[in-house]
Every structure is written in C-alpha cells, then in structure tokens.
Amino acid sequence: MTRLETLAAWLGPRGRLVSQADELPDEAAAEAASLLGVRAEYLSYLWEYALTAGWFELDDEPGGRTRAVPGAAERRWAEGADSGTLHVWAAVFASVLAAALDVAAARDPGCSRKLNFQGQGVTAAVMLFLARRAGLSLAEVKELVMDGAAGAPPSARARRAWDAWVRKHGDPASLLLGELAALRAVTVPDSDAGLVGLTPLALWALREQFRLDGIQIPRVPASPQQMTAGDLVALADAVSETELRSESATWVARRGAGRAARELLSWAAVSGPRTRLVAVNLARGIGIGAQRAWRDAMQRPELRGYARIALSVLASELPESTLPLVLDPDPDDLTWVATDLLALACGDDAPDPAEIAAQFREAVPQGQESWIFDLMSRSSHPDVVQVLTVLGRYHPDRRVARNARRAAQAAARSRTARRSAPERIPVRSAGR
C-alpha cells in the first residue's frame, strides 16, 4: 500500500502518459521503479494492481493520447476514513488475488503457454477461507495451485511445462503468497509443513465478498461472554465437532450450566429444525446441570419430546433412590422430534445417509434408539411412519436401520388399527 501511495504521488494530479498497451514508457517505468526501490520488472505487478483496483484510472485525451491519473480508490485511501480505507484495501487484495499470477504468466508467455494461471489466486484464497479453522499447509497450497494450473492429474505435456516454469521462475504459489504477505493478507510459514494463515483483514474482506454474493457467514464474537446461544449454534456449520464441543464448554463455564441450558433451549424453541437439533444436542451435553431447564422446556410443544428424552436419560444416570425426573412419556410428545427429522431427512429425492445419521444422532442420544423407535411407533402423528421408513432405508448403521424398519411396520399397523376401531358413543346412565 505504501508503494501504491508513492506511485500515485509520482503520477501527480495530471498523471503520466502511457503507451497504447496502457503501460508506462520504458524511461518513465525505470524512473518509477528507482523511486520505489524495486526491480524494473516488478513494477508491472504494482501497475496492474493499481489499474485493477481503481487506484489509477486511464484518461483519454484529444488526439489519441492516454494518461494514467490517480483514481477514486486512491482518493478514498488518502481521506483515511475507516470504512473507505478498509474497502480500498479489500479492492487491492482482490486485485492481487486476480492479477499476480496473470502478470507472471504474461511476462513469459512461452513458458506459461500450456499452463492456466488465471483464477488460481482466487481459488487459493477461497480454500484458505474454508479451511480457516484447521488451516492449509504451505505444501497443500502449492499443490492446490499446481492442480489448478496444470490439471489434476496433469498431462505429460502440462507436467513438463510446470516443471520448466518452476525451474525458471520458482513455485507460482510462493510468488502469490509472497505478494499477499507483502499486503499483510496472509502469514507464510518457514517450511512446507507449516500452516498458511489468513490475517483478520483478509478474513473480513473475503466474508464481505461472500455476503455480496448472497452467501451469509455468521460472525462470532471473540469473547465467550458476548457470544449468544445463536452465535454458538451457528458455529456448528463452521467448525469441527471437536472444536464446537470445546467452544461450548468454555461458553457454558462462563454462564453456568443452568443459564447456558435455558438460553440454548430458548433459542431451540424459536429455531428451524436444523438449528433446533444443534441447540438441543448442545444442551444435552451440559448434563445434570441442565435438569431444571429441561423440566421448564416440557411446557413448550416444540421441545417437549426432546425434554422427555433428555430427562429420561438423566434419570437413568441418577441413583436408584432418587425420585424420577419425569413420568413415562406419552408417544405423542415426540411429534416435534418426528416433524424435525422429517423436514431434514426427507427434503431431497436422494437423501444422504451420512447426513441422515448426523441429524438423527443430534436428535436421539446414542444407545436410546430402540426406546425412541418404540415410542414413535405408538405415536398418532401422521408423519411418523414416513420418518421411520426413511431412517430404515437410508441410515448407514444396519442395526439402527433394522430397528427403524420394524418400528415403521408397527406404526403402520397401529394406525390401521386406530382407523378400523369402532367409534365409541358415550351412553348416559339411568337417571342422569
């Protein structure tokens, strides 16, 4: 950014004449490179970043001449307003991602002719963003760029072209990461085994771009004290299960078991099926400290089935002399559990067995499947048979799938029996 500032000051308000290819003439380019303290061949990178980001603009004059003049991005940067500064930085970041390898390829078209460098910088940034928690090693980023440029697996011709490029110019990923590191967008490790990290600025810029593209990525407060139950639940789609459990344990410890469980269940009551299951599973993980919150949740139809399951599991872990936490559940308490599972498992024509197993695991604790299936088979809820049928057909665990099929058959028989049972007509007693 400092070099771009210096280059803009060198251009001056009137700008500098450029060639028909929109480049500085050789003499002016040598002057600019000397002023910046960079090699003459490196100036083409800065020049392309500036044009792509709107730092410079090309102004056509009468007579066919063109000048490069400071642009809107440079003016916003000079104003120093926080929002403007951040967005200008993001524009330059995007320019480096898009242009760094393209400039390298254009400088040696003969060597790059059989390679495809276009778009590889953007691909690498997106993959780093998606792996922002676990991270990508330097070796993995190098392989990612090579696969994009030469193909995966590369043809013999593409592999020879790649090897020739690396011998002559070095690894393209190293060039890209070096430019991003100069922008303070990434941290680069000393060895191939080390992790490449996106800086907070780069994470923010990529998230903003995703938002512009209609992809919502929740932002979680850095402090567990500021994190809401909704923030914690949102992490489920962004981190591994192990990391989610770790974050949850910290969050619960800061709040206390009772308060944490109440907040999670309050969130679950007003959520959709997917987030409700996540919140319920996190509350279940709190253990006996969530007992009072679960008892309160019995008053909410959306949570009653989950509360029955949780309290029954907690009761089984208490000493025999302890009073039961909940009476035997009514099969119809599981209405919402069945509805949630149906909405998640039956939304596609070809359900994913792994996804169904994950959703079922969040709704039903491990080891409680047979008991829950038995209750569901006696429920009057109209969707129960379909839920059990889908589980029986697609759940990858053969034992769970077999039990679900048996429960589906029992549920179907129960519904048939209820439909065929004669309607009872109340009879008044004599004298009444």
Side-chain angles (χ1 to χ4, degrees):
M1 301 304 291
T2 301
R3 286 170 174 164
L4 290 178
E5 284 182 310
T6 303
L7 199 52
W10 176 80
L11 282 180
R14 292 191 65 250
R16 302 271 180 158
L17 290 172
V18 297
S19 67
Q20 291 184 344
D22 298 332
E23 296 175 347
L24 287 171
D26 291 343
E27 185 176 346
E31 180 184 340
S34 176
L35 176 66
L36 294 170
V38 299
R39 302 185 312 275
E41 58 268 24
Y42 181 68
L43 184 67
S44 56
Y45 289 89
L46 292 173
W47 190 256
E48 188 60 31
Y49 303 155
L51 288 174
T52 306
W55 194 273
F56 301 157
E57 295 173 358
L58 298 174
D59 185 18
D60 293 329
E61 296 181 340
R65 299 193 308 176
T66 301
R67 287 182 178 271
V69 298
E74 188 276 335
R75 290 191 293 274
R76 292 183 71 189
W77 180 265
E79 290 170 359
D82 289 345
S83 176
T85 299
L86 282 172
H87 285 89
V88 171
W89 185 93
V92 175
F93 174 46
S95 299
V96 174
L97 292 176
L101 293 181
D102 285 356
V103 172
R107 290 189 58 80
D108 192 348
C111 196
S112 63
R113 183 166 53 87
K114 297 182 179 66
L115 301 171
N116 178 25
F117 285 135
Q118 188 172 16
Q120 303 311 322
V122 175
T123 299
V126 171
M127 296 305 294
L128 283 168
F129 185 87
L130 294 176
R132 59 193 178 277
R133 303 286 291 195
L136 290 178
S137 70
L138 179 56
E140 288 173 321
V141 176
K142 289 179 177 179
E143 183 178 5
L144 180 69
V145 174
M146 182 182 74
D147 288 347
S155 65
R157 291 178 61 192
R159 183 68 204 210
R160 287 195 298 271
W162 175 265
D163 291 340
W165 177 277
V166 172
R167 285 193 301 271
K168 188 173 182 180
H169 300 290
D171 193 291
S174 296
L175 183 151
L176 172 67
L177 292 174
E179 291 298 275
L180 293 172
L183 189 61
R184 304 294 190 267
V186 300
T187 56
V188 183
D190 295 329
S191 67
D192 281 357
L195 297 180
V196 178
L198 291 170
T199 64
L201 269 176
L203 286 169
W204 169 84
L206 287 166
R207 176 177 180 266
E208 287 296 296
Q209 185 57 55
F210 286 133
R211 289 179 62 196
L212 290 174
D213 293 336
I215 303 171
Q216 296 301 318
I217 300 173
R219 183 176 58 194
V220 178
S223 168
Q225 199 64 30
Q226 297 175 322
M227 188 185 296
T228 67
D231 292 332
L232 182 63
V233 170
L235 278 178
D237 292 326
V239 301
S240 67
E241 188 173 341
T242 301
E243 288 177 297
L244 180 62
R245 291 296 178 190
S246 176
E247 293 285 351
S248 176
T250 302
W251 186 79
V252 171
R254 291 291 183 93
R255 273 167 167 68
R259 177 187 170 189
R262 287 193 302 274
E263 291 184 12
L264 281 168
L265 294 177
S266 294
W267 175 265
V270 298
S271 296
R274 169 67 181 134
T275 49
R276 178 163 34 249
L277 285 179
V278 174
V280 161
N281 205 26
L282 290 172
R284 190 183 293 141
I286 295 174
I288 196 65
Q291 171 189 341
R292 185 176 294 276
W294 282 119
R295 293 179 73 91
D296 293 341
M298 289 289 296
Q299 307 305 314
R300 301 293 298 263
E302 307 92 337
L303 301 178
R304 187 174 294 128
Y306 298 107
R308 287 281 192 183
I309 296 171
L311 289 170
S312 297
V313 171
L314 289 175
S316 68
E317 299 173 355
L318 294 175
E320 292 184 5
S321 59
T322 306
L323 290 175
L325 295 178
V326 65
L327 299 175
D328 290 339
D330 183 329
D332 284 338
D333 285 346
L334 298 184
T335 292
W336 276 83
V337 177
T339 302
D340 288 346
L341 285 172
L342 181 65
L344 291 167
C346 306
D348 300 325
D349 294 335
D352 180 2
E355 183 66 20
I356 285 180
Q359 292 160 355
F360 183 70
R361 188 167 57 247
E362 289 180 345
V364 177
Q366 188 174 7
Q368 303 296 318
E369 298 91 350
S370 297
W371 174 64
I372 300 302
F373 285 153
D374 178 61
L375 283 176
M376 293 178 74
S377 71
R378 292 185 276 122
S379 172
S380 62
H381 189 252
D383 293 332
V384 161
V385 174
Q386 186 177 358
V387 171
L388 292 171
T389 300
V390 170
L391 289 170
R393 183 177 301 168
Y394 293 104
H395 198 290
D397 187 306
R398 295 177 63 183
R399 179 184 62 81
V400 173
R402 182 177 63 251
N403 290 340
R405 289 194 295 271
R406 290 174 178 173
Q409 294 167 0
R413 289 195 298 268
S414 176
R415 291 182 63 186
T416 301
R418 281 195 294 270
R419 284 197 300 267
S420 60
E423 182 180 357
R424 292 187 177 184
I425 301 175
V427 179
R428 291 182 181 273
S429 300
R432 295 288 184 99

